Amino acid sequence: MSLAPAPEGAAGQTGDSSVPRHVAIIMDGNGRWAERRGLPRVAGHRAGAEAVRRALQAAADHGVEVLTLYAFSSENWRRSDEEIADLTGLMRFYLERELATLDKEGVRLKLIGDYSAFGADLVQRLETAVEHTASNRRLTLCIALNYGSRAEITAAARTLARNAAAGTLDPEQVDEAAIAAQLQTHGLPELDLMIRTSGEVRLSNFLLWQAAYAELLFLDLLWPDFDEQAFGDALEHFAGRRRRFGGR
Ligand code: FPP
């Protein structure tokens, strides 16, 4: 993958509020894409990984600061062992093949979710990639792995309760900012736009707190068919909604 320089006029990083700073995507429909072609599900996931590259390129082109992708939900463990192995294998392959390019192109990798569940080898590769790209500033690629929003909020509540019980936190000081500071997305800009592909209209336990004020966009196309054009259309849609409703 190679991230071409952002075209002239790209905003986002330049403070234009019609460009979302933070975009999240529920990448849905890999299985159906493969099924419609008579291919095994893994072929859909492979094509989905190519769509990840296109989405990343498009996000960088438009000056988006953070792209958060739902790569593996805590519910995905219910899939067959074979499919889980395919998905983790694909992530390992992607990391191996793309890390140098991501780094060269100024992409910082961030992880949310309890990725420790993926086994020592993948965990080590993931952490190496995060460390390796930590000082990059062009775009943050935040990958949600074994992520569940309710678990994230529950862990935040548990930490605050522990601190209160230990006497280091006054319960009266527990406000929205205190909770947000315990979430794994702490430090990232507010989520502006959430996209879900495949025609399903639900959030599936993804970024529930963070999506409170986000624009939600549900697209009929399947994730492997998502491309630069679809990303550009989504951003146009976002800019239109912004203009109509004003706001931040
Ligand atoms: C949903 O499609 C997609 C997933 C569960 C996995 C997403 C993973 C990738 C796009 C591949 C690699 C990721 C990275 C970050 C390199 P589905 O299988 O639920 O589709 P279906 O609903 O049509 O069955």
Side-chain angles (χ1 to χ4, degrees), residues 27-33 35 41 44-52 69-73 76 79 83 87 90-91 94-95 141 143 145 196 198 200 222-223:
M27 310 181 288
D28 198 9
N30 294 351
R32 275 163 283 174
W33 184 92
E35 203 176 294
R41 292 180 64 81
H45 295 315
R46 272 194 214 116
E50 291 306 313
V52 167
L69 301 177
Y70 208 4
F72 196 98
S73 77
N76 286 152
R79 298 192 175 200
E83 186 169 354
L87 278 168
L90 205 54
M91 281 183 240
Y94 185 86
L95 273 181
L141 173 62
I143 302 194
L145 287 171
R196 181 174 189 147
S198 95
E200 309 289 345
L222 302 174
W223 175 248

Side-chain angles (χ1 to χ4, degrees), residues 17 47 49 65 86 90 112 118 136 164 176-177 199 202 206 215 220:
S17 71
E65 289 174 44
D86 285 340
L90 205 54
I112 56 174
F118 285 109
N136 291 340
E176 291 185 14
R202 52 179 185 276
F206 189 45
E215 297 290 342
D220 276 334

Side-chain angles (χ1 to χ4, degrees), residues 1-245:
M1 185 196 69
S2 168
L3 294 183
E8 290 219 0
Q13 305 251 25
T14 61
D16 176 351
S17 71
S18 69
V19 175
R21 294 180 68 195
H22 185 173
V23 177
I25 308 182
I26 302 177
M27 310 181 288
D28 198 9
N30 294 351
R32 275 163 283 174
W33 184 92
E35 203 176 294
R36 284 179 197 175
R37 287 163 177 74
L39 297 169
R41 292 180 64 81
V42 66
H45 295 315
R46 272 194 214 116
E50 291 306 313
V52 167
R53 281 138 65 73
R54 295 194 293 270
L56 188 58
Q57 173 71 63
D61 284 351
H62 286 278
V64 167
E65 289 174 44
V66 181
L67 180 66
T68 298
L69 301 177
Y70 208 4
F72 196 98
S73 77
S74 40
E75 285 78 29
N76 286 152
W77 294 111
R78 295 194 203 122
R79 298 192 175 200
S80 71
D81 290 350
E82 190 192 350
E83 186 169 354
I84 291 171
D86 285 340
L87 278 168
T88 52
L90 205 54
M91 281 183 240
R92 190 175 289 117
F93 177 73
Y94 185 86
L95 273 181
E96 220 163 72
R97 203 184 53 174
E98 303 289 349
L99 178 57
T101 318
L102 291 177
D103 190 35
K104 194 164 81 114
E105 302 293 346
V107 176
R108 174 174 79 119
L109 186 69
K110 180 180 167 64
L111 304 171
I112 56 174
D114 182 12
Y115 61 90
S116 67
F118 285 109
D121 172 60
L122 186 52
V123 167
Q124 205 218 322
R125 282 167 199 263
L126 286 165
E127 288 179 346
T128 303
V130 168
E131 278 165 31
H132 200 80
T133 60
S135 58
N136 291 340
R137 290 288 171 266
R138 183 167 177 208
L139 180 140
T140 298
L141 173 62
C142 175
I143 302 194
L145 287 171
N146 192 24
Y147 175 86
S149 194
R150 286 185 174 182
E152 180 190 32
I153 295 168
T154 304
R158 192 181 305 117
T159 301
L160 294 172
R162 273 203 198 112
N163 293 347
T168 56
L169 173 69
D170 175 357
E172 296 310 317
Q173 285 174 355
V174 177
D175 54 12
E176 291 185 14
I179 293 172
Q182 295 298 331
L183 300 179
Q184 294 182 325
T185 49
H186 178 57
L188 298 181
E190 280 273 339
L191 181 61
D192 295 309
L193 173 64
M194 164 93 82
I195 300 169
R196 181 174 189 147
T197 57
S198 95
E200 309 289 345
V201 184
R202 52 179 185 276
L203 296 184
S204 298
N205 205 16
F206 189 45
L207 301 177
L208 301 181
W209 173 283
Q210 296 85 343
Y213 298 104
E215 297 290 342
L216 307 180
L217 188 56
F218 299 95
L219 302 177
D220 276 334
L221 84 179
L222 302 174
W223 175 248
D225 294 325
F226 190 88
D227 58 11
E228 285 88 350
Q229 174 76 42
F231 196 91
D233 290 350
L235 260 50
E236 232 171 72
H237 195 80
F238 175 85
R241 287 188 190 175
R242 288 280 125 187
R243 275 198 295 274
R244 232 171 311 139
F245 301 117

